[in-house]
Amino acid sequence: MPVLEVENLHVFYGSIHAIKGISFKVDKGKIITLIGANGAGKTSTLSTISGLVKAKRGKIVFDGREIQNMPPHTINHMGICLVPEGRRIFPNLTVMENLMMGAFSRKDKQEVKKDIEWVFSLFPRLAERKSQLGGTLSGGEQQMLAISRGLMSRPKLLMMDEPSLGLAPILVEEVFDIVKKINAEGVTILLVEQNAVGALKISNYGYVLETGNVTIEGPSEELLSNDDVRKAYLGL
């Protein structure tokens, strides 16, 4: 059952037609990935779903409600959270303060405490550094913090934009393992990644974006063995 459906989405930046009628769906409890080269429209798609960019045409349906004309804070309160490209943590706040910013709209203090313990169990290094300023963390630790801050809003749909970008290979594997763990806890994930091999290995279904269009889609295992995908995006 889809938790998110995007239908015939068109997005413009001035005269530039960035998203050209893409359609896709995200089934509840699954990891769905969007792969493609730089400029394919992956980040624009996530920004439009989040309400940060307005669609010119098309529908975005989340949990049975159209959200394409809603403001970002309403979409967030409904249960969609974006972990943005480049982490964008608050560098002058501590790890704990960053986490609490993720839970700023929640009133269930006891459950917030439980969720802090949960993200610390996922990322033990953050527990060790909970009083440390975010800006003094390593790149990998900052990515862990960005993901954890997103989880603190208890999202129904967690959207992640290039979580492996700029990380050392060993940390990339760790981040992908964490994405699988989060999904195993029942969180639906929409993953945007340039690391197409890594994304397809952990996801259930994939869409290939090219210059604002979906060109290929299918179960991730099939895309991994598709000759066109292998040549164009997997470096194989």
Side-chain angles (χ1 to χ4, degrees):
M1 178 181 175
V3 68
L4 178 77
E5 293 180 273
V6 174
E7 184 179 319
N8 193 32
L9 190 68
H10 291 261
V11 176
F12 286 79
Y13 295 104
S15 61
I16 298 171
H17 197 177
I19 304 292
K20 302 171 183 175
I22 67 171
S23 298
F24 66 93
K25 65 181 181 178
V26 178
D27 286 335
K28 187 174 182 179
K30 304 296 186 182
I31 302 176
I32 306 301
T33 189
L34 307 180
I35 63 172
N38 273 338
K42 305 184 302 295
T43 294
S44 293
T45 299
L46 297 192
S47 297
T48 307
I49 295 168
S50 300
L52 300 172
V53 173
K54 291 301 177 188
K56 187 78 171 179
R57 297 195 302 278
K59 286 199 306 185
I60 304 171
V61 180
F62 177 68
D63 250 1
R65 295 176 62 188
E66 288 191 29
I67 64 170
Q68 66 270 9
N69 295 316
M70 293 182 180
H73 68 274
T74 301
I75 293 171
N76 180 260
H77 289 167
M78 288 177 65
I80 295 179
C81 181
L82 172 63
V83 179
E85 181 183 353
R87 299 146 200 162
R88 299 188 195 174
I89 61 161
F90 299 101
N92 297 321
L93 299 183
T94 66
V95 166
M96 184 64 79
E97 288 167 340
N98 268 277
L99 293 177
M100 293 308 296
M101 288 299 291
F104 79 97
S105 64
R106 293 176 58 182
K107 309 299 182 188
D108 51 341
K109 292 184 179 179
Q110 290 303 316
E111 292 301 310
V112 168
K113 286 182 181 179
K114 288 181 183 178
D115 286 347
I116 287 173
E117 293 305 313
W118 174 49
V119 298
F120 281 164
S121 72
L122 290 172
F123 300 106
R125 270 177 282 181
L126 294 184
E128 297 168 6
R129 291 159 173 73
K130 61 185 178 182
S131 299
Q132 194 170 320
L133 293 178
T136 66
L137 300 176
S138 70
E141 290 163 349
Q142 287 187 15
Q143 185 62 67
M144 293 174 191
L145 181 55
I147 294 169
S148 297
R149 182 183 62 189
L151 290 172
M152 288 302 299
S153 68
R154 276 205 178 172
K156 295 177 184 176
L157 174 64
L158 184 67
M159 303 194 301
M160 307 175 76
D161 193 359
E162 304 284 8
S164 74
L165 188 66
L167 300 183
I170 191 168
L171 288 176
V172 170
E173 285 189 26
E174 187 173 345
V175 165
F176 283 140
D177 284 342
I178 290 296
V179 172
K180 287 195 294 184
K181 283 184 183 178
I182 293 168
N183 178 246
E185 295 274 355
V187 180
T188 305
I189 295 173
L190 178 57
L191 175 66
V192 156
E193 259 296 336
Q194 275 192 282
N195 185 338
V197 173
L200 290 172
K201 281 182 176 178
I202 65 166
S203 61
N204 303 102
Y205 199 90
Y207 295 85
V208 179
L209 268 61
E210 188 175 322
T211 58
N213 295 286
V214 172
T215 55
I216 307 172
E217 66 172 273
S220 298
E221 287 184 4
E222 290 183 10
L223 294 184
L224 276 168
S225 59
N226 180 294
D227 285 342
D228 292 333
V229 174
R230 287 164 66 86
K231 289 174 186 174
Y233 301 103
L234 307 186
L236 302 171

